[in-house]
Amino acid sequence: MRILLLGGTSEARALAAKLHPDVEVISSLAGRVPDPALPVGQVRIGGFGGVEGLRRWLRDNTVDAVVDATHPYAATMTAHAAQVCAELGVPHLLLARPAWDPGDAILVNSDTQAAKAVADQGFSRVFLTTGRSGIGAFAQLDAWFLIRAVTLPEAAELPRRHEVLLSRGPYRYDDELRLLREHRIDALVTKNSGGQMTRPKLDAAAALGVVVVMVDRPPLPAGVSTVDSVDDAAAWVGSTVRP
């Protein structure tokens, strides 16, 4: 059995470990994060080259099934995988970690809308944790930003007043509480990534009365089989692909 596991998440690493060595798993990472945490088994790093590249790769490598365990905001990869697997008749599963309950957060649909919410509400000190790809949306705002990212953002995309904190989770509640207090944060901007690795920032914000602006998840492709746990994904592989 050969599975293409679209990964880069803790769930993908856990699934690779659970299937190994009974299933041949090829984990695919986008390659956007330096020195990524690697799963057990085979690993490929880098994009496929769009829909046609993914189609060709699946054919050339005789893949029995595809499990998409990418980040909830990897919408392009998720859409490509759903399209190609449907076209080729390759069994396909989406492992999507449960979203957070947004609660009282200001819910928006994009980084641009999040920047508008920050401007409209007049926040002055913002903890920005949406990742480097969306930072440019905040470049023209007058607020001060504490920007947490895994890799250094492009200088041209940074707001005029900012501090960059290079860091990678998981994070602890006490540390997040201290960070918000020390920097006198009045708004947290985040994506609804779900999971426990970055959840403490929300709990710390709630404890301090910090307003949360949350970018909602992109919609999933229609008709895709979806589970929300590693155990369910492993069970699907076992029932779908036979030696």
Side-chain angles (χ1 to χ4, degrees):
M1 294 184 286
R2 177 176 289 169
I3 304 295
L4 174 63
L5 176 53
L6 303 173
T9 60
S10 59
E11 291 85 1
R13 293 189 293 274
L15 180 58
K18 196 172 187 67
L19 296 177
H20 181 81
D22 299 319
V23 179
E24 181 184 357
V25 176
I26 303 175
S27 295
S28 179
L29 310 183
R32 296 176 181 173
V33 176
D35 190 27
L38 297 178
V40 297
Q42 300 180 56
V43 179
R44 69 172 300 278
I45 296 179
F48 291 94
V51 168
E52 183 53 41
L54 178 59
R55 185 186 296 114
R56 183 170 54 253
W57 194 94
L58 291 179
R59 285 172 172 163
D60 291 347
N61 290 273
T62 320
V63 169
D64 296 297
V66 174
V67 178
D68 179 356
T70 55
H71 192 273
Y73 290 80
T76 299
M77 185 71 255
T78 292
H80 288 177
Q83 177 184 337
V84 172
C85 288
E87 291 174 357
L88 298 180
V90 175
H92 170 240
L93 180 74
L94 178 64
L95 170 53
R97 72 174 70 130
W100 294 319
D101 179 356
D104 296 331
I106 300 172
L107 202 59
V108 296
N109 292 320
S110 67
D111 294 308
T112 300
Q113 288 187 11
K116 184 177 185 303
V118 169
D120 289 348
Q121 296 291 325
F123 297 124
S124 60
R125 299 184 66 83
V126 181
F127 186 23
L128 182 57
T129 66
T130 55
R132 22 175 324 203
S133 62
I135 290 174
F138 301 84
Q140 303 304 314
L141 272 59
D142 291 330
W144 180 88
F145 289 86
L146 176 63
I147 301 171
R148 185 160 69 190
V150 176
T151 57
L152 193 64
E154 295 291 335
E157 296 182 341
L158 291 168
R160 181 174 59 85
R161 301 168 58 225
H162 71 271
E163 177 181 334
V164 175
L165 175 61
L166 297 182
S167 177
R168 181 183 298 176
Y171 299 104
R172 296 173 60 251
Y173 171 77
D174 289 346
D175 294 333
E176 299 292 68
L177 199 68
R178 186 179 308 110
L179 193 69
L180 295 177
R181 281 175 171 159
E182 288 179 353
H183 292 280
R184 307 189 312 280
I185 299 298
D186 59 5
L188 163 66
V189 180
T190 183
K191 291 180 176 177
N192 193 342
S193 300
Q196 295 304 310
M197 288 182 66
T198 59
R199 168 81 207 189
K201 63 187 175 185
L202 295 178
D203 298 331
L208 296 176
V210 172
V211 177
V212 176
V213 179
M214 184 176 290
V215 181
D216 204 3
R217 292 186 176 188
L220 298 177
V224 173
S225 297
T226 306
V227 296
D228 63 6
S229 75
V230 171
D231 286 344
D232 286 346
W236 179 89
V237 170
S239 65
T240 302
V241 184
R242 302 296 179 186

